[in-house]
Amino acid sequence: MPEPAPERTMALGRTAAMALPDAGPGQVRTLLYREGLRERETETVQEARQAITADPGLMAWVSMTDPNHTQLTELARTFGLPTLALEDAIVAHQRPKAEIHREVLFVVLRPARYDDAHERVEVGEVHLFASENFVLTIRHTDQIDFEDVRERLESGPHRLAHGPLAVMYAVVDAVVDAYAPVVSGLQGDIDEVENQVFDGDPRASRRTYRLAREVILLQRAVDPLDGVLRDLMEPLEHPDRVAPGLPRARGCAQGLDRLHNYLRDVADHETAVREHVDGFRQLLQNIMAVNNTLIDQSQNEAMKKVSSWGGILVVPTLIASFYGMNIAPHGFMHWVFSWPTALVAMAASSVCLYAVFRRRGWL
């Protein structure tokens, strides 16, 4: 069996990466647009490729959900996708990024969803390929629905008329918006675990560590988006620097300004999410430190009590040991009040020590 790709091994572990079964064919939709309006839907990706080749005014949008290796290979052959980008799309488990391969822009996004019942962040993956007159969206998750994105874009043809970049921006917006419920769910659970720590709940340590792992998982999906959004805004800020064949925003200057402002708004939302996630990680570290401090204090209090009771018992034990030694008794031991005196001494010493430790707050 060939070795799995390093990305899959790092994401899933060697055993899981080697044991993944072959998947069946996924869902594929191919639509053609002209100036933001849907013109028709084709049966195959080959038919869409022929249409945009014959008519440069058309834009093809190919949407795939959980495609298998055969479908991706056929898609790459039809649209001339670079081999390295195809390998990333097949392997999945990539970090968020935006790369240029020849005349194709390749973008990886990591949408997320929060399972509140199990306190688990579920991260998926979305791949996008864009060129001058086509955009390919590949979904390896159910955290985002391309049909919802398509409906929103088709409801405003003026935005879709900007071409493949408009589709990319809409997908990025949907991914960033999906982070909001995740942040809200984590915020609620972190508040709960904070209360658990101060209530002395012994389960707080395990829950804090588990939430910290989920926050790190979300952070890996969110942090690289800052660079991705900067790369996507480059064609709008400097249209003269876009290489031939790469997607460039279509339409008038006023429309391009609106699209740029729209993407800047998405970037603002991403920054807010990233700041929340960074704050969660720092807060959980503080909660862990406070929890450890409270545990140490509790252990110190227990040790004080144990030491105090040990000190209280040691003097009576010494007196009793002296009287219980197997030696010839002295004269005072035959005194009629010797034993009551010893008992009183033991009781008095215990009471005095108890009062001292109680005053010091050890008991």
Side-chain angles (χ1 to χ4, degrees), residues 241-255:
R241 300 181 187 177
V242 180
L246 286 177
R248 61 178 69 234
R250 307 174 182 179
C252 62
Q254 185 178 4

Side-chain angles (χ1 to χ4, degrees), residues 9 12 56-57 90 100 103 118 160 163-164 195-196 206 231 233 271 276 294 315 327 333 353 363:
T9 302
L12 301 179
I90 293 174
I100 295 177
E103 296 181 353
H118 299 91
L160 189 55
N195 293 331
Q196 278 184 280
R206 183 183 296 271
D231 292 339
M233 283 191 284
T271 300
H276 274 94
L294 293 176
V315 175
I327 60 174
M333 290 186 177
L353 288 172
L363 290 176

Side-chain angles (χ1 to χ4, degrees), residues 54-315:
D55 186 353
L58 291 174
M59 182 192 75
W61 182 355
V62 180
S63 173
M64 286 187 165
T65 302
D66 294 323
N68 59 18
H69 185 280
T70 303
Q71 288 177 305
L72 289 175
T73 303
E74 184 64 26
L75 181 72
R77 184 183 303 113
T78 302
F79 286 93
L81 302 182
T83 304
L84 291 178
L86 174 63
E87 179 182 340
D88 288 345
I90 293 174
V91 170
H93 303 289
Q94 305 291 318
R95 63 176 180 82
K97 59 183 178 179
E99 297 177 342
I100 295 177
H101 296 267
R102 294 205 302 268
E103 296 181 353
V104 176
L105 176 63
F106 175 52
V107 176
V108 178
L109 303 172
R110 302 294 302 274
R113 178 175 56 203
Y114 191 61
D115 183 354
D116 194 51
H118 299 91
E119 296 182 353
R120 184 171 60 239
V121 175
E122 300 173 352
V123 178
E125 192 160 339
V126 171
H127 297 164
L128 302 98
F129 295 89
S131 189
E132 192 169 5
N133 56 356
F134 69 80
V135 58
L136 317 175
T137 54
I138 302 170
R139 179 163 65 99
H140 294 281
T141 179
D142 59 353
Q143 279 98 335
I144 183 173
D145 189 352
F146 287 151
E147 293 303 315
D148 292 340
V149 176
R150 191 194 314 278
E151 289 177 4
R152 288 200 299 270
L153 281 173
E154 290 182 351
S155 65
H158 62 282
R159 185 179 300 171
L160 189 55
H162 293 307
L165 283 180
V167 178
M168 278 200 162
Y169 298 159
V171 174
V172 174
D173 184 30
V175 169
V176 173
D177 286 345
Y179 291 140
V182 181
V183 170
S184 178
L186 283 171
Q187 179 70 69
D189 288 334
I190 291 173
D191 291 342
E192 289 178 6
V193 79
E194 190 174 20
N195 293 331
Q196 278 184 280
V197 167
F198 288 105
D199 290 342
D201 192 334
R203 297 170 297 179
S205 297
R206 183 183 296 271
R207 190 180 182 189
T208 302
Y209 177 74
R210 187 171 61 248
L211 286 173
R213 290 186 60 185
E214 300 306 313
V215 168
I216 291 173
L217 183 62
L218 179 61
Q219 189 175 39
R220 290 173 180 170
V222 174
D223 278 1
L225 276 180
D226 183 47
V228 172
L229 289 169
R230 285 200 302 268
D231 292 339
L232 292 180
M233 283 191 284
E234 181 73 15
L236 294 174
E237 296 173 347
H238 306 285
D240 55 319
R241 300 181 187 177
V242 180
L246 286 177
R248 61 178 69 234
R250 307 174 182 179
C252 62
Q254 185 178 4
L256 296 182
D257 288 340
R258 285 197 303 267
L259 192 61
H260 183 259
N261 292 334
Y262 168 71
L263 191 58
R264 285 178 58 186
D265 183 63
V266 176
D268 290 340
H269 293 170
E270 183 272 336
T271 300
V273 171
R274 181 156 40 87
E275 290 175 350
H276 274 94
V277 174
D278 291 341
F280 289 162
R281 188 168 183 180
Q282 184 62 47
L283 181 58
L284 286 169
Q285 289 176 350
N286 293 339
I287 290 175
M288 284 184 179
V290 170
N291 188 50
N292 291 336
T293 301
L294 293 176
I295 291 175
D296 291 340
Q297 289 178 351
S298 177
Q299 291 175 344
N300 290 337
E301 293 298 322
M303 287 300 298
K304 286 180 180 180
K305 292 181 179 181
V306 171
S307 301
S308 298
W309 286 113
I312 292 172
L313 295 175
V314 70
V315 175

